[in-house]
Amino acid sequence: MKKRVLAYGRLSEDQLAQLAREFEVQTFSDLTSADDPAFRAALPGAHGLIGSSLAITPELLDSAPDLEVIASISVGVDNYPIDELTRRGILLCNTPDVLTETTADTGFALIMATARRVVELAEWVKRGDWQASIGPEHFGSDVHGKTLGMVGFGRIGAAVARRGALGFGMKVLYSNASPKPALEAELGAERRELAELLAEADIVCVTVPLTDETEHLIGEHEFALMKSTAIFVNISRGKVVHEAALIEALEMGRIRAAGLDVFEQEPLSPESPLPHMRHVVALPHIGSATFETRTAMAQRAVDNISLALKGQRPISLVNDAAWRPS
Ligand code: NAP
């Protein structure tokens, strides 16, 4: 009997056909909540889940006693109870590497847009306000030659830093759980304690994963350490930043600008002042959102689930401890 896969992420017809050749596939398009009755009803007897943006709880896992693998179409795994999955012997797979460069592009787009006030001034032109030569009130700040402080220096952090160091002649500082000697040699990057980095950097870019340790890593104290001219960019997860503290830092002029792809609550609440602030560029979590990369991510997830359900080691396994070679 074919194993059963519940697909709630965006997969192409070819990718669904690939899965359907080996497994019984039930699709749930546009699933926004794990409480969806049809999804709930399908959980008993499901061997694999493939999708993203759905918070998986231990209670949901109780409804899926046959579950062997979850293939997330994301690199971030903050939506999953990893220890609980491991305890139950359920494999968790993600999609690292294939989205690194695209997400770094988004990070650099936010750096450029905030420093050079691209969105704000494009809107100004669109409104017909460009009536005379621009003056200092429209000037931005340079990106090239400045100091880039990377909070998190993994795959995406390194890719943003590479753009800065090699493309824009930036000095790179980083704060990271472990030292990265190879990147120091490649990019001339220097490791700093977080507080030192925040005080020295012209542009601070956050790329740590969201974990118990990194939740609200950047708050009032950290914003107070930054230069008043600092630009703050977050492309990791909203909850790494204490958003109320960020709003206050912007309102009080403690930092100059912020480029944000992620928020504590997504979609961003209409009540949030952030998108209305002149020095904020707010994006709807588009880090990896290109046709090429979303296709590659979905394909990685399809390959991961397919290998796992055939008893083979998936390409990107998050919880090695759950792996039992057959
Ligand atoms: P990664 O390669 O695992 O890099 C994460 C880095 O953060 C690692 O170097 C890690 O240190 C470091 N780190 C972890 N915990 C830390 C802590 N408590 N303090 C300091 N450093 C810490 O992951 P990645 O592929 O670059 O992705 C990073 C995150 O970006 C993802 O988890 C996801 O949340 C986010 N993301 C967002 C988007 C988007 O659409 N905006 C897209 C993709 C990813 P070690 O090297 O020592 O382990």
Side-chain angles (χ1 to χ4, degrees), residues 60-235:
L60 179 142
L61 297 176
D62 287 341
S63 314
D66 297 330
L67 196 61
E68 296 175 27
V69 56
I70 301 177
S72 185
I73 310 177
S74 68
V75 69
V77 287
D78 41 280
N79 268 345
Y80 304 92
I82 300 177
D83 291 345
E84 186 63 27
L85 289 169
T86 305
R87 200 179 63 71
R88 295 174 189 234
I90 299 169
L91 304 180
L92 175 63
C93 310
N94 66 345
T95 63
D97 305 315
V98 293
L99 48 54
T100 297
E101 298 300 328
T102 297
T103 309
D105 284 348
T106 303
F108 228 85
L110 283 170
I111 291 172
M112 294 302 295
T114 45
R116 300 302 307 272
R117 301 169 59 183
V118 171
V119 177
E120 175 198 345
L121 294 178
E123 290 294 329
W124 183 75
V125 173
K126 210 179 272 180
R127 282 198 306 270
D129 288 345
W130 187 18
Q131 306 284 349
S133 296
I134 61 128
E137 67 275 22
H138 303 107
F139 292 175
S141 50
D142 278 336
V143 172
H144 68 270
K146 291 292 182 74
T147 298
L148 175 61
M150 296 304 309
V151 180
F153 211 35
R155 289 170 292 248
I156 295 169
V160 172
R162 218 166 261 125
R163 283 157 175 72
L166 307 180
F168 288 77
M170 299 177 88
K171 175 177 176 179
V172 174
L173 307 177
Y174 74 96
S175 99
N176 192 71
S178 61
K180 301 285 179 181
L183 288 170
E184 290 180 17
E186 180 193 344
L187 304 174
E190 296 173 20
R191 192 174 181 210
R192 294 281 191 277
E193 291 301 323
L194 178 60
E196 294 168 348
L197 177 147
L198 296 173
E200 277 184 62
D202 299 304
I203 295 161
V204 174
C205 180
V206 180
T207 63
V208 285
L210 173 62
T211 63
D212 290 344
E213 275 178 34
T214 62
E215 185 165 351
H216 287 176
L217 180 71
I218 307 291
E220 187 183 349
H221 174 68
E222 287 68 31
F223 286 116
L225 293 171
M226 292 181 205
K227 295 179 182 179
S228 60
T229 51
I231 288 172
F232 178 76
V233 171
N234 186 10
I235 53 170

